[in-house]
Amino acid sequence: MSETVVMKFGGSSVADADRIKAAAKRIVAKREKGDRVVAVLSARGDTTDELLNMAAEVSGTPDPREMDMLLSTGERISCALCAMAISDLGHDAISLTGSQAGIVTDTSHTRARILDVRADRIEEALDAGQIVLVAGFQGVSTNKDVTTLGRGGSDTTAVAVAAALGASVCEIYTDVAGVFSADPRIVPDAKKLGTVSFEEMLEMASSGAKVLQLRSVEYARTHGVRIHCRSSFDEGAGTIVVTEEETVEHPLITAVTHSTEEARVTLIGVPDSPGVAGAVFGALAEAGVNVDMIIQNEPPEEGKAADMSFTVATEDLRDARTALEGIIEAQGIQSIAWDEKMGKVSVVGAGMRSHPGVAATVFRVLGDLGINIEMISTSPIKISCVVSADRVADAVRGLHGAFELGDADADSGAQSPHGAAR
Ligand code: ADP
Ligand code: ASP
Ligand code: MG
């Protein structure tokens, strides 16, 4: 029996007509090998950013439901165009919106989670010999509204569809050759990883390596989906995300990751009494805001107010502030301050679990570079430091060099529709 394969093409891989035609050729080649093929596409190039800007032009506080109606159009455009290109290559293709593809989500607009994939329509089309194009990043909520899955969400669509179809592999085609030891746009000698464990990939994705959306990695691990992350510009093998049992080596450090989209929120004058932290983080959770690092200072004297700081993604700052403004008075908190220009650099490696001294090296390297560490957090296989956003690139290069992660003949295959590194 023929195998089912899911191929996902990211925004830069479908950015213009030539790239859509190239993706169509690649999809058709897979079909001609005899596989049943579903392709999940992202919006073209910067379309999602442009749609976000369009919303900002007409409203300071766009309604999240309408935002999803708007944002979901980007991936529909890609799918319809690619179906046309495939048809010109002599194959039968059908494009489906997330809703038509049976992607059912919860009701959290702009950051919905997939609850179920009712793939019968995809299955019927595959049984009829069609190539199926699914619009990524979107679904339909249990309230029958269009939802989107958060930035980078097409990865999760692809993995969820692969899980529902029992696909043999979910191929994530992107603008770099796989998952690297650091972002190849910042570290030119970054090394492509042949394999990476789920455990490490989860830490990498959660600390800024946007090559795979965090949720897609979680979903793949839970549902046993094979992810192969590879270049859409050449045929070379990329990176396979493997289970812990399949992992042979545990290098001390696998990768250095970063993010420049962190905001720090400080609550000034937080009463030293039980229940306040619960109210603060409860309000943030209700607003769907993910909190990363949290620091609570000791009060100067017992019973006196202290400060509390935490980080959130910059894109969540507005929601975080709104949620907090609603509770500070009742909780007796003095005021809120924030800094939008924070960044984070992290080192990830399963080997650090059994190896002391990694944190000391990280702090020494940053110190030698004159980079001030504002906040620190650790997991058994990750050390993260919040630093000023404008020093993040230096920090990444310094740590990558210090842990000798480089590859002398590295070639990321990195290409961007705009040429320049982002
Ligand atoms: P797509 O549009 O295909 O979904 P993304 O822009 O979401 O692509 O993700 C690919 C980008 O992720 C790369 O262009 C690269 O700059 C960035 N990236 C960050 N960290 C890493 C890493 N460790 N390995 C590979 N790419 C990374
Ligand atoms: N188009 C969406 C974004 O830019 C989803 C994706 O590309 O995965 O975030
Ligand atoms: Mg992406």
Side-chain angles (χ1 to χ4, degrees):
M1 206 187 124
S2 55
E3 298 204 330
T4 304
V5 173
V6 174
M7 306 168 83
K8 178 254 168 180
F9 290 86
S12 45
S13 308
V14 290
D16 56 31
D18 285 341
R19 289 195 180 175
I20 287 190
K21 286 193 214 165
K25 275 200 189 127
R26 221 159 164 166
I27 294 166
V28 161
K30 189 80 81 185
R31 177 78 194 97
E32 287 178 348
K33 261 184 54 207
D35 290 334
R36 290 152 58 93
V37 183
V38 177
V40 173
L41 304 189
S42 285
R44 307 168 81 196
D46 296 330
T47 302
T48 305
D49 289 330
E50 284 159 14
L51 293 170
L52 285 165
N53 289 340
M54 282 163 71
E57 278 168 17
V58 297
S59 167
T61 50
D63 179 343
R65 179 190 181 277
E66 302 310 329
M67 202 67 190
D68 280 348
M69 281 298 276
L70 177 71
L71 293 181
S72 61
T73 60
E75 343 302 279
R76 294 174 59 158
I77 294 173
S78 302
C79 285
L81 291 173
C82 193
M84 295 172 194
I86 290 175
S87 163
D88 278 8
L89 295 171
H91 280 262
D92 194 5
I94 178 173
S95 65
L96 300 175
T97 64
S99 163
Q100 289 172 322
I103 315 278
V104 180
T105 74
D106 65 15
T107 55
S108 327
H109 283 291
T110 75
R111 50 166 76 97
R113 286 170 77 90
I114 296 178
L115 300 175
D116 193 13
V117 180
R118 300 182 188 151
D120 15 310
R121 184 143 181 209
I122 302 180
E123 299 264 22
E124 277 163 27
L126 290 173
D127 290 344
Q130 289 181 302
I131 291 170
V132 183
L133 297 158
V134 175
F137 173 60
Q138 58 188 273
V140 61
S141 76
T142 44
N143 285 347
K144 298 196 166 60
D145 281 317
V146 173
T147 48
T148 63
L149 309 178
R151 298 310 302 264
S154 299
D155 296 335
T156 303
T157 305
V159 169
V161 168
L165 298 174
S168 54
V169 65
C170 178
E171 295 184 322
I172 307 280
Y173 288 87
T174 184
D175 56 2
V176 286
V179 179
F180 282 72
S181 56
D183 186 340
R185 292 177 198 281
I186 291 198
V187 182
D189 72 337
K191 185 167 61 193
K192 186 180 80 191
L193 309 173
T195 60
V196 63
S197 67
F198 275 110
E199 195 187 22
E200 288 176 318
M201 196 61 233
L202 285 169
E203 292 283 17
M204 289 175 68
S206 72
S207 58
K210 64 173 183 157
V211 60
L212 292 174
Q213 194 203 32
L214 173 61
R215 186 76 190 110
S216 74
V217 186
E218 288 173 347
Y219 205 105
R221 175 150 87 166
T222 313
H223 294 83
V225 174
R226 190 94 174 150
I227 293 182
H228 182 186
C229 176
R230 58 194 304 194
S231 168
S232 61
F233 306 121
D234 64 49
E235 298 283 333
T239 304
I240 312 257
V241 187
V242 296
T243 60
E244 273 72 67
E245 296 80 59
E246 294 171 281
T247 316
V248 271
E249 286 185 272
H250 287 296
L252 180 60
I253 301 298
T254 299
V256 180
T257 56
H258 74 279
S259 146
T260 48
E261 271 130 47
E262 307 280 326
R264 179 176 50 192
V265 179
T266 303
L267 297 177
I268 300 162
V270 181
D272 185 24
S273 53
V276 180
V280 167
F281 295 105
L284 292 167
E286 206 158 294
V289 174
N290 237 331
V291 175
D292 188 13
M293 291 187 203
I294 305 172
I295 291 184
Q296 182 175 318
N297 292 332
E298 280 290 301
E301 274 173 57
E302 215 189 303
K304 283 268 156 63
D307 294 350
M308 181 193 275
S309 298
F310 53 86
T311 56
V312 299
T314 311
E315 63 173 351
D316 289 341
L317 180 59
R318 198 178 60 195
D319 289 350
R321 279 174 44 199
T322 311
L324 293 169
E325 273 151 16
I327 61 148
I328 57 169
E329 214 178 283
Q331 294 300 322
I333 298 169
Q334 248 169 45
S335 58
I336 314 173
W338 59 90
D339 185 341
E340 290 177 55
K341 302 232 159 30
M342 302 308 292
K344 185 171 69 175
V345 57
S346 310
V347 295
V348 176
M352 86 171 70
R353 194 185 274 123
S354 53
H355 215 289
V358 175
T361 308
V362 170
F363 304 153
R364 181 184 50 72
V365 170
L366 297 181
D368 288 350
L369 289 165
I371 297 173
N372 194 37
I373 301 172
E374 312 259 356
M375 293 165 104
I376 299 166
S377 77
T378 62
S379 85
I381 65 162
K382 180 175 77 178
I383 297 165
S384 298
C385 298
V386 169
V387 300
S388 164
D390 59 4
R391 295 306 308 275
V392 162
D394 294 335
V396 173
R397 284 188 280 263
L399 291 168
H400 195 265
F403 287 105
E404 298 177 354
L405 302 181
D407 176 356
D409 1 272
D411 174 17
S412 67
Q415 288 182 33
S416 131
H418 315 293
R422 283 173 286 179

